[in-house]
Amino acid sequence: MTREPYATGTKASDRALRAHPGSAAPGSPFVRSLGRVAYRPTYEAMQRFTAARTAATRDELWVLEHPPVYTVGLAAREEHFPRRSDIALERIDRGGQITYHGPGQAVVYTLVDLPRRGLQVRGLVTLLEQAVIDYLAEYGIAATRRSGAPGVYVDGAKIAALGLRIRRGCAYHGLALNVDMDLAPFAAIDPCGYPGLAVAQARDLGVADDVASAGDKLARHVSVLLES
């Protein structure tokens, strides 16, 4: 697994905008550690990366966190939208309903060629869920899936959300793990379209990792599963 070091502030945003397919042969994914970056330019960079991919483009994992933002997937219904909030809302092209991203949440965007990895969409969803389950297991935390509701749960509360878009067999978007953040913005929405869904975070379960460490470890778990 290859990494770039963390960056912060404006330089991180610039890096996200400049991100482009590499020429390396397929193999382990390249990990870009981007720090805290604005949502919209990062989203557009993922779209450009995917549109420009060729069969030789190396898969990438983008590890980052976002300023406060709600993102709304293609299946979203307005009854699940914020009832009271000044937080920006972005309509995007992933599947699913509405979720929240903010500081203290580790995001791993998975820019992956599915046919080359021998994966179907369901297989990638399962892989991403397993990466979170494996990460939490390192700390003795038992996490589970929920049938019909993608993501990872601890004692019924959602600790990680995921959403994907597939274009020409290649995935983008990915997963978000609540590490150490303000969970209040989730209360203004129906997270992932489920009214009253409880949310959890790793810090409250005894995990001392900061968001950068958690993101790096989570990307490592994703890489191991992609290469297995």
Side-chain angles (χ1 to χ4, degrees), residues 17-206:
L17 285 165
R18 292 197 305 270
H20 60 280
S23 58
S28 63
F30 185 84
V31 178
R32 296 187 185 272
S33 296
L34 301 178
R36 187 178 300 176
V37 290
Y39 187 84
R40 175 58 59 170
T42 309
Y43 167 50
E44 292 173 350
M46 285 192 291
Q47 291 179 311
R48 290 196 302 273
F49 178 98
T50 303
R53 291 193 70 142
T54 71
T57 301
R58 188 173 179 178
D59 292 338
E60 297 197 4
L61 304 177
W62 295 0
V63 183
L64 53 99
E65 60 181 332
H66 288 303
V69 63
Y70 292 115
T71 64
V72 176
L74 295 172
R77 299 199 303 271
E78 290 193 7
E79 60 262 35
H80 302 307
F81 286 17
R83 292 168 283 279
R84 57 189 186 283
S85 181
D86 296 326
I87 296 172
L89 186 148
E90 295 277 2
R91 295 178 180 269
I92 57 172
D93 64 355
R94 63 162 170 77
Q97 298 277 342
I98 187 169
T99 195
Y100 170 72
H101 299 300
Q105 183 187 68
V107 177
V108 180
Y109 288 135
T110 53
L111 294 94
V112 174
D113 183 326
L114 296 185
R116 190 168 64 198
R117 298 280 177 183
L119 288 169
Q120 301 290 329
V121 177
R122 180 65 249 178
L124 181 57
V125 169
T126 299
L127 184 152
L128 297 180
E129 291 170 336
Q130 190 62 48
V132 176
I133 291 168
D134 291 347
Y135 167 75
L136 294 173
E138 292 183 5
Y139 301 93
I141 299 167
T144 60
R145 300 179 175 86
R146 179 178 292 180
S147 178
V152 177
Y153 302 79
V154 176
D155 294 330
K158 193 164 194 174
I159 195 169
L162 62 91
L164 297 168
R165 173 73 174 183
I166 311 300
R167 181 177 295 172
R168 297 183 295 118
C170 295
Y172 58 103
H173 296 292
L175 63 88
L177 171 68
N178 302 335
V179 179
D180 185 15
M181 62 188 300
D182 178 8
L183 297 176
F186 285 105
I189 62 172
D190 297 330
C192 304
Y194 291 92
L197 179 66
V199 292
Q201 60 181 339
R203 179 57 58 94
D204 294 339
L205 300 172

Side-chain angles (χ1 to χ4, degrees), residues 4-24:
E4 279 193 353
Y6 258 82
T8 58
T10 302
K11 290 182 179 179
S13 299
D14 291 344
R15 181 174 297 177
L17 285 165
R18 292 197 305 270
H20 60 280
S23 58

